[in-house]
Amino acid sequence: MVSSPTHESDQPHQGWVLKAGKWVLAEDPVLSRPEGDVTEAIKAAGYRSWTSVGHEYATPLKLTVWSRSEKPSYLFDLEGAEQSEWVYADTLPDALVLLNQLAPTLQALTITDQVAQAEPKTMSVFADILDHLHGRSRDKNGILRN
């Protein structure tokens, strides 16, 4: 996939669609709508929220996946701190391929999101998990054992 498609004023808006494992340009079903608000345009195009990960301002990237019965059936909205981009997946198998490609990023976002929401009283749980992963143990005072 290359960068976002450019738009000529006399042409319909185009977007990237993952279709049968290949990226193709097709008419963008959201940007070609007259609604001014993006969320309203997404809903007017028939998309409904399917899943999301990350919280605005708490993680470096938020992913929201929208779905509808008409193709392209899935809209992947990637929101960064400065900019938002989206791509489409034609069918559920295409959406699963794209989710698989994004899995390492999504996993990192999930962990970052959980740490960002942790309360001071639960931080010891994270320390215990890290100690276990690294084969470390602590005494009753919290001091690492050799």
Side-chain angles (χ1 to χ4, degrees), residues 61-130:
L61 183 67
K62 178 182 176 187
L63 170 67
T64 303
V65 182
W66 302 80
S67 68
R68 67 179 187 176
S69 57
E70 184 182 345
K71 291 182 181 179
S73 297
Y74 297 88
L75 164 64
F76 283 67
D77 182 13
L78 296 159
E79 295 178 53
E82 302 283 324
Q83 187 174 338
S84 180
E85 296 283 341
W86 66 59
V87 295
Y88 297 91
D90 204 45
T91 63
L92 178 60
D94 295 314
L96 294 175
V97 165
L98 189 51
L99 280 172
N100 187 50
Q101 291 173 355
L102 292 169
T105 303
L106 297 176
Q107 183 179 31
L109 285 173
T110 301
I111 292 168
T112 302
D113 186 45
Q114 292 301 310
V115 170
Q117 292 185 49
E119 297 290 329
K121 63 183 177 186
T122 61
M123 289 304 285
S124 65
V125 173
F126 288 114
D128 292 345
I129 291 169
L130 290 172

Side-chain angles (χ1 to χ4, degrees), residues 3-26:
S3 62
S4 299
T6 57
H7 173 66
E8 302 293 328
S9 60
D10 60 339
Q11 299 293 321
H13 287 275
Q14 292 196 314
W16 288 107
V17 180
L18 183 61
K19 186 174 184 175
K22 296 189 186 303
W23 288 102
V24 296
L25 277 173

Side-chain angles (χ1 to χ4, degrees), residues 11-62:
Q11 299 293 321
H13 287 275
Q14 292 196 314
W16 288 107
V17 180
L18 183 61
K19 186 174 184 175
K22 296 189 186 303
W23 288 102
V24 296
L25 277 173
E27 184 174 342
D28 189 308
V30 173
L31 289 180
S32 54
R33 303 201 56 85
E35 288 80 9
D37 178 71
V38 173
T39 303
E40 291 305 314
I42 290 170
K43 290 177 180 178
Y47 289 99
R48 300 293 171 248
S49 182
W50 189 53
T51 190
S52 66
V53 65
H55 292 281
E56 196 170 8
Y57 308 117
T59 57
L61 183 67
K62 178 182 176 187

